[in-house]
Amino acid sequence: MRLPIKISPIQIPTLQPIKIAILAMGGEGGGVLADWIVSLGEEHGYFAQTTSVPGVAQRTGATIYYVELFPGADNPENPAPVLALMPAAGDVDIVLASELMEAGRAVQRGFVTSDRTTLIASTHRVFSIGEKSAMGDGRVDSRVLVRQSRQAARRFVHFDMAQMAEKSGSVISAVLFGALCGTGALPFSRIEFEETIIKGGVGIKPSLQAFELGLSRVQSEVEVAELEATSTTRIRQKIPTSQNKVSALLLRIQQQMPSRIHDIVLEGVRRLIDYQDPAYASLYLDRLQGLINQQKNGDERLLRETARHLALWMTYEDIIRIADLKIRASRFERVRKEVRVRNDQLVEINEFLHPRLEEVCDTLPVFIGRWLSRPHFVNRMLAKLLSRGRVITTSSIPGYLLLHMLASWRRIRRRTLRFHCETERIEGWLRRIVTAAKRNPDLALEIAQCQRLIKGYGDTHIRGLRNFQTLMEIVDHHLPYLTPANLSQLREAALADEHGNQLRECIRHLSLD
């Protein structure tokens, strides 16, 4: 009699690759970071493979780098595995994002999962073309991106790595490499990480400094605030209180303005002094005081929104302001840091300017600007001359002096055509707010927020102003029965479409034409 033979199945150990996706933009060293990870794996017994897929150039060219590490390369008997060429949704262990929006895109594409993915991202933002060109505030809320990333990932490491890269004189990839080391997501020691950078042979010292900053930040487990809150103390430090006129403004805010709006009014005063002078900031307070005197209950939301939008409107962008910003020492220093030049290197900055005839007329005294804007021979000649545009080298003496001359015109800004027109518009806007506040504070709040339509310069400003004037005409003609919800709906329609098609459709839908 034969006994049955029981055969146990052979237990074959299952090995899995480590799958890493890197989302970076041009100039941030994403390829270097991928090469470092490959070199790190190959030096310590791993098969490694990297691929990259360049993206569109909307934000200097976002690229996805994909790396797979598979153990066993130190054993010559092990066959080379077949590794994937692209990350798959739900099948990535580590995601490295050089910017917060790139982290959001990784989450959107399904690369980040709560059961396995370690997400490492910088919290700084590089705004997309769509965000910059939106009629209103087109920026994606960073807090939403952080919250969604935290919910999607098993572990989420995030802080401002761009600031650390700038501090160390390196690129953000070295900070990401340090953060990756600090998470312990890869089975390699700190010394092995650092040896990989040294073997790379390029920018060793700044790369090691950036690596150390990223590593230390992760190991310290100190959480960074997602948004910087501007406190009253910080704003006060920005204003030169040693000057008598400025001290008088601060005292006026403290004594005459409600305490709950001090922070935003202080920021408005600082902005207006930088834009023009203390007298202009005093006009800002006068206009706010007029609204406060008319407000019996002092609706906080209305006061805060009016204070904020009034400061933005009074610091409108004109040729004078643009020239002033372009010649500031802080701008030259920022450009030098961005291109990472040495002290013995020269930097040339070229400005590509294409001013419109209307912008030139706005910068001239009222009567000259109005005369020049009429159709005649001089108008046509100047329009033809300006249509060509020109390039000004700000870093040269002639180019700098030209912009300096334009910036110095702010002494006569109060006599310009643009200042005259903006004053009339602002006063009309404030009158409408005061009138509406007596009937319905919520409607007055919506009128105050209509200032969001006015932004930028050139064609962007013209389109926004046209939509704003359309809404103000509706307010004037339909104030008795216009609801806050209707005005909010009209404003959002105007912000959604720069050509005004959605606004016209909304007006027709609400029977307000």
Side-chain angles (χ1 to χ4, degrees):
M1 179 177 180
R2 294 184 179 181
L3 296 176
I5 301 175
K6 185 177 182 180
I7 303 177
S8 300
I10 300 175
Q11 299 296 325
I12 302 177
T14 303
L15 300 178
Q16 295 293 331
I18 302 174
K19 302 177 180 182
I20 306 167
I22 304 169
L23 287 79
M25 293 180 290
E28 293 181 332
V32 174
L33 177 57
D35 291 342
W36 278 342
I37 296 174
V38 168
S39 177
L40 178 64
E42 290 179 339
E43 287 290 330
H44 299 91
Y46 279 76
F47 295 99
Q49 176 177 280
T50 178
T51 56
S52 64
V53 179
V56 297
Q58 187 185 70
R59 298 188 307 160
T60 68
T63 301
I64 297 178
Y65 301 88
Y66 182 60
V67 179
E68 281 199 5
L69 303 178
F70 194 88
D74 50 353
N75 185 350
E77 296 182 359
N78 290 335
V82 177
L83 303 178
L85 299 176
M86 280 294 295
D91 193 29
V92 181
D93 299 298
I94 303 169
V95 173
L96 299 153
S98 65
E99 189 258 0
L100 191 56
M101 180 61 81
E102 295 303 323
R105 292 184 179 184
V107 172
Q108 185 181 41
R109 298 184 66 169
F111 296 157
V112 182
T113 52
S114 59
D115 61 330
R116 65 183 292 182
T117 308
T118 297
L119 175 59
I120 304 171
S122 176
T123 55
H124 79 284
R125 286 300 323 278
V126 178
F127 298 116
S128 66
I129 299 300
E131 289 176 292
K132 293 178 180 178
S133 60
M135 293 293 292
D137 186 355
R139 295 174 299 174
V140 175
D141 192 339
S142 296
R143 293 171 296 183
V144 174
L145 292 173
V146 170
R147 183 170 63 250
Q148 292 177 344
S149 298
R150 182 182 290 114
Q151 293 173 350
R154 182 177 65 86
R155 182 180 181 187
F156 182 34
V157 176
H158 60 290
F159 55 90
D160 190 343
M161 301 183 190
Q163 185 179 16
M164 291 186 175
E166 182 178 350
K167 181 179 179 180
S168 61
S170 183
V171 291
I172 201 169
S173 58
V175 185
L176 283 165
F177 199 51
L180 175 60
C181 178
T183 62
L186 291 182
F188 309 114
S189 67
R190 171 178 176 170
I191 295 177
E192 292 169 339
F193 272 84
E194 292 176 337
E195 287 176 347
T196 300
I197 296 176
I198 296 172
K199 290 178 181 178
V202 179
I204 297 175
K205 185 176 180 180
S207 294
L208 287 175
Q209 291 176 348
F211 173 86
E212 171 64 26
L213 290 174
L215 173 63
S216 300
R217 180 55 187 267
V218 174
Q219 289 179 336
S220 66
E221 296 182 356
V222 176
E223 294 186 358
V224 179
E226 297 169 2
L227 297 175
E228 292 185 359
T230 304
S231 65
T232 302
T233 304
R234 290 181 60 194
I235 297 173
R236 287 178 181 271
Q237 292 174 349
K238 295 179 181 179
I239 301 179
T241 55
S242 59
Q243 301 179 10
N244 293 333
K245 293 181 179 179
V246 177
S247 298
L249 291 173
L250 295 178
L251 183 61
R252 181 179 173 185
I253 294 172
Q254 183 177 4
Q255 294 179 346
Q256 300 180 11
M257 299 288 166
S259 59
R260 57 187 179 274
I261 65 169
H262 279 181
D263 56 342
I264 199 163
V265 175
L266 282 166
E267 178 60 28
V269 166
R270 183 200 65 78
R271 183 183 180 98
L272 287 154
I273 292 175
D274 177 70
Y275 181 83
Q276 188 66 32
D277 52 35
Y280 197 45
S282 180
L283 174 61
Y284 168 72
L285 295 181
D286 290 341
R287 287 169 168 168
L288 276 182
Q289 192 65 51
L291 176 62
I292 293 172
N293 294 339
Q294 296 291 332
Q295 280 282 87
K296 296 180 180 180
N297 299 326
D299 186 277
E300 180 179 351
R301 295 183 304 157
L302 177 58
L303 293 178
R304 290 185 67 86
E305 286 300 292
T306 303
R308 181 167 71 93
H309 288 290
L310 179 59
L312 291 173
W313 198 340
M314 291 180 66
T315 54
Y316 58 86
E317 293 182 352
D318 56 6
I319 293 178
I320 300 171
R321 178 64 167 176
I322 294 170
D324 175 45
L325 295 175
K326 288 185 178 295
I327 61 172
R328 294 193 176 189
S330 58
R331 180 179 184 244
F332 286 95
E333 183 63 26
R334 176 171 54 83
V335 171
R336 291 185 65 87
K337 287 182 178 180
E338 287 179 353
V339 298
R340 306 185 188 281
V341 298
R342 300 190 304 269
N343 293 332
D344 59 341
Q345 291 180 313
L346 299 178
V347 177
E348 184 176 280
I349 303 176
N350 293 321
E351 314 288 353
F352 295 87
L353 303 179
H354 197 173
R356 301 163 61 252
L357 177 60
E358 292 80 359
E359 293 167 350
V360 174
C361 294
D362 285 344
T363 312
L364 299 173
V366 177
F367 70 96
I368 299 177
R370 284 179 174 169
W371 172 81
L372 187 58
S373 62
R374 300 190 188 105
H376 47 64
F377 175 75
V378 179
N379 175 286
R380 291 190 294 272
M381 289 296 295
L382 184 58
K384 183 177 180 180
L385 179 64
L386 293 174
S387 65
R388 303 172 185 172
R390 63 177 304 176
V391 178
I392 298 177
T393 304
T394 315
S395 52
S396 69
I397 293 177
Y400 181 88
L401 291 177
L402 175 60
L403 292 179
H404 185 274
M405 179 191 68
L406 292 174
S408 67
W409 285 6
R410 79 175 185 173
R411 292 192 296 268
I412 65 169
R413 180 184 268 135
R414 291 180 176 86
R415 298 195 291 272
T416 63
L417 177 60
R418 176 73 181 275
F419 186 89
H420 178 77
C421 294
E422 295 295 351
T423 298
E424 290 184 348
R425 294 164 185 156
I426 291 172
E427 295 294 344
W429 172 67
L430 290 173
R431 284 195 300 270
R432 293 182 181 95
I433 293 175
V434 171
T435 302
K438 296 176 181 178
R439 294 172 171 265
N440 188 339
D442 291 336
L443 179 60
L445 177 63
E446 296 297 333
I447 295 174
Q449 293 178 338
C450 285
Q451 192 276 333
R452 292 173 55 198
L453 294 168
I454 303 175
K455 60 180 291 187
Y457 56 92
D459 293 335
T460 300
H461 177 264
I462 290 175
R463 289 192 294 266
L465 179 60
R466 182 175 59 246
N467 291 337
F468 173 83
Q469 291 173 333
T470 299
L471 295 191
M472 292 303 100
E473 290 175 0
I474 292 175
V475 170
D476 293 339
H477 291 97
H478 304 282
L479 182 61
Y481 51 87
L482 182 65
T483 66
N486 286 345
L487 184 56
S488 175
Q489 187 177 351
L490 290 168
R491 187 182 65 250
E492 295 304 319
L495 290 169
D497 176 22
E498 62 180 17
H499 301 293
N501 296 328
Q502 291 192 32
L503 176 59
R504 288 188 289 271
E505 179 62 28
C506 187
I507 292 173
R508 186 163 48 252
H509 175 72
L510 297 175
S511 301
L512 295 173
D513 47 1

